[in-house]
């Protein structure tokens, strides 16, 4: 691909210069006036559009500020397009919930594709629009969305990028024009593109955990609890290995690290069920305190702090017993009702 100095780093996301009528697009509010609002169409290189006051809402408008704020990013639907004059009229009033969902999902994918393309353009010093012309937009046409093509590139880049070509026109020795078909991008640009796609789009494993309270006051109750823990871990699969650990008796955590979140949640539920069946077979008791969820780094930190606090409580109880205090006959040293979700997020 030819290099341009300085390269153009701004370009629309899609091949069409203007959006089609009745299509939802993502906008950013730029200026709010008495009769209209000026917006930028983010997917079309920030070209200007306008929303009339009468197209803001179906309800009676008491304050435009309650509906729009400068800088806010949200969907709107295209009413009219004058390609010659560059006028685009939009509406929020005619936007449905389905339109919003479609627009937000498409924009999220397009934004990721655009960030990858722009990064390659800037690092390789090549024109962004040229990169879209020979790579991005052909992939949009073939795959419906370049995002789907990029997902395939993660595992098999040649199957996606090798078929892409461009015509190179030169003048031969006889003075005639010679048309030669060459790869759409150079090997250097291809390597940079694949590297960035893999860095951005390779699925990352997610930590999942479930918290349970388990007790067994039968003879050899500790061994029955350990057996129940082994039953939970036996539910493991290659994709979702399960581990069960003590937090602070009677609180336990069942964890897995997996690429498939939904499957991981299912496996943790199965592990909890296996654990419950085992312990209840020995007249024990199991209560699920937190259903399986993704756990954040903050959650891990809070969990560690809670465990340390529990150990401190145990040490204080031990000192009380040594000094002749009343014996604490309960198994749980943690106020389970006051325990939050340890920073767990959906």
């Amino acid at each position: 691909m030819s290099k341009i100095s300085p390269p153009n780093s701004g370009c629309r996301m899609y091949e069409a210069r203007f959006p089609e009528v009745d299509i939802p697009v993502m906008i950013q509010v730029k200026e709010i006036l008495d009769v209209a609002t000026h917006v930028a169409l983010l997917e079309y290189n920030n070209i200007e559009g306008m929303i009339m006051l009468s197209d803001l809402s179906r309800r009676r408008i008491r304050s435009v500020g309650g509906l729009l704020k400068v800088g806010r990013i949200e969907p709107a639907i295209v009413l009219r397009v004058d390609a010659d004059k560059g006028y685009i009229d939009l509406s929020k009033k005619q936007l449905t919930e389905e339109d919003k969902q479609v627009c937000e999902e498409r924009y999220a994918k397009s934004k990721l594709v655009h960030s990858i393309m722009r990064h390659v353009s800037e690092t390789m010093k090549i024109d962004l629009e040229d990169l879209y012309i020979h790579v991005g937009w052909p992939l949009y046409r073939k795959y419906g969305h370049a995002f789907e093509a990029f997902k395939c590139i993660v595992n098999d880049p040649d199957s996606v990028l090798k078929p892409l070509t461009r015509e190179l026109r030169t003048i031969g020795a006889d003075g005639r024009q010679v048309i030669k078909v060459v790869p759409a991008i150079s090997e250097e640009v291809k390597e940079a593109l694949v590297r960035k796609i893999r860095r951005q789009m390779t699925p990352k494993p997610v930590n999942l955990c479930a918290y349970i309270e388990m007790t067994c006051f039968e003879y050899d109750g500790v061994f029955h609890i350990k057996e129940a823990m082994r039953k939970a871990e036996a539910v493991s699969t290659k994709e979702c290995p399960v581990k069960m650990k003590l937090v602070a008796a009677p609180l336990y955590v069942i964890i897995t690290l997996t690429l498939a979140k939904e499957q991981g949640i299912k496996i943790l539920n199965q592990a909890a069920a296996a654990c419950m069946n085992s312990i209840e077979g020995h007249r024990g008791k199991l209560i699920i305190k937190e259903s399986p969820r993704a756990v954040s780094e903050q959650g891990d930190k809070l969990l560690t702090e809670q465990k340390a606090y529990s150990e401190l409580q145990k040490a204080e109880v031990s000192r009380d017993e040594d000094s002749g205090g009343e014996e604490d006959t309960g198994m749980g040293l943690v106020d389970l009702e006051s325990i939050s979700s340890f920073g767990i997020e959906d």
Side-chain angles (χ1 to χ4, degrees):
M1 184 176 294
S2 59
K3 294 188 177 182
I4 300 176
S5 182
N8 172 31
S9 60
C11 178
R12 62 193 182 276
M13 298 180 182
Y14 313 126
E15 189 168 8
R17 298 186 65 86
F18 298 96
E20 296 180 9
V21 174
D22 295 331
I23 295 297
V25 295
M26 196 63 74
I27 62 167
Q28 184 173 34
V29 180
K30 292 298 182 181
E31 185 181 19
I32 301 174
L33 303 177
D34 293 336
V35 295
T37 298
H38 294 279
V39 301
L41 279 68
L42 299 181
E43 297 157 284
Y44 294 86
N45 201 23
N46 296 319
I47 58 175
E48 187 177 295
M50 182 179 294
I51 303 177
M52 301 300 294
L53 186 63
S54 58
D55 285 310
L56 286 179
S57 175
R58 295 182 184 276
R59 301 190 301 270
R60 182 177 178 180
I61 301 175
R62 294 183 178 180
S63 171
V64 177
L67 297 173
L68 293 173
K69 292 186 183 298
V70 174
R72 179 184 291 174
I73 295 175
E74 56 187 304
I77 199 159
V78 179
L79 294 181
R80 289 172 290 274
V81 176
D82 188 331
D84 295 330
K85 297 181 179 179
Y87 293 158
I88 302 174
D89 294 330
L90 305 109
S91 171
K92 282 190 61 183
K93 181 172 68 176
Q94 298 187 30
L95 193 70
T96 66
E97 288 300 320
E98 183 181 357
D99 290 332
K100 291 180 182 179
Q101 184 177 353
V102 168
C103 184
E104 288 169 355
E105 290 178 357
R106 185 193 65 232
Y107 179 66
K109 293 179 180 180
S110 303
K111 186 179 179 181
L112 178 57
V113 169
H114 195 67
S115 70
I116 292 171
M117 297 284 281
R118 187 169 56 196
H119 173 83
V120 174
S121 168
E122 293 172 352
T123 55
M124 300 303 295
K125 302 285 192 294
I126 57 176
D127 186 80
L128 178 58
E129 187 168 356
D130 196 34
L131 187 61
Y132 262 110
I133 289 172
H134 295 104
V135 177
W137 295 333
L139 294 181
Y140 268 99
R141 292 195 297 268
K142 183 175 181 179
Y143 289 84
H145 199 294
F147 179 85
E148 303 303 324
F150 281 15
K151 287 199 299 185
C152 297
I153 288 174
V154 171
N155 296 316
D156 189 5
D158 285 340
S159 67
V160 178
L161 298 176
K162 195 172 182 179
L164 300 180
T165 59
R166 64 197 298 258
E167 292 183 350
L168 182 63
R169 300 175 185 270
T170 59
I171 302 299
D174 58 358
R176 294 182 178 180
Q177 186 182 68
V178 178
I179 300 176
K180 184 179 180 181
V181 177
V182 298
I185 50 178
S186 67
E187 280 300 314
E188 293 80 4
V189 175
K190 176 184 173 182
E191 289 175 5
L193 180 62
V194 172
R195 185 166 57 249
K196 182 63 176 176
I197 289 173
R198 283 176 171 166
R199 185 179 299 126
Q200 292 287 106
M201 299 188 64
T202 298
K204 296 178 176 59
V206 59
N207 283 295
L208 299 172
C209 67
Y211 293 97
I212 65 170
E213 177 186 316
M214 181 166 56
T215 55
C216 183
F217 294 100
E218 289 292 293
Y219 181 73
D220 286 342
V222 172
F223 295 102
H224 297 322
I225 287 175
K226 288 183 177 180
E227 180 185 355
M229 293 172 70
R230 286 192 291 269
K231 293 289 186 182
E233 293 180 347
V235 177
S236 296
T237 65
K238 184 178 180 180
E239 295 77 17
C240 302
V242 175
K243 291 292 182 183
M244 188 168 176
K245 297 180 180 180
L246 170 67
V247 178
L251 187 65
Y252 296 80
V253 60
I254 311 175
I255 58 176
T256 187
L257 182 67
T258 179
L259 294 172
K261 182 178 178 181
E262 295 303 320
Q263 183 182 359
I265 291 174
K266 182 179 179 181
I267 290 294
L268 287 189
N269 281 323
Q270 293 175 358
C275 190
M276 179 180 292
N277 290 336
S278 178
I279 200 65
E280 289 183 347
H282 298 285
R283 299 177 66 182
K285 186 177 181 181
L286 186 148
I287 300 174
I288 296 177
K289 304 300 292 184
E290 285 287 344
S291 298
R293 293 188 183 183
V295 65
S296 64
E297 292 181 4
Q298 180 185 8
D300 291 335
K301 181 180 178 182
L302 290 174
L303 189 60
T304 302
E305 291 175 352
Q306 182 66 41
K307 187 173 181 179
Y309 177 68
S310 298
E311 294 298 329
L312 178 61
Q313 283 185 311
K314 288 180 181 179
E316 290 176 349
V317 169
S318 178
R319 285 197 298 271
D320 290 341
E321 290 176 346
D322 292 340
S323 62
E326 292 185 4
E327 182 181 1
D328 186 353
T329 57
M331 288 188 66
L333 297 175
V334 182
D335 181 7
L336 293 171
E337 297 303 323
S338 67
I339 293 176
S340 64
S341 60
F342 296 106
I344 299 171
E345 34 185 45
D346 291 320

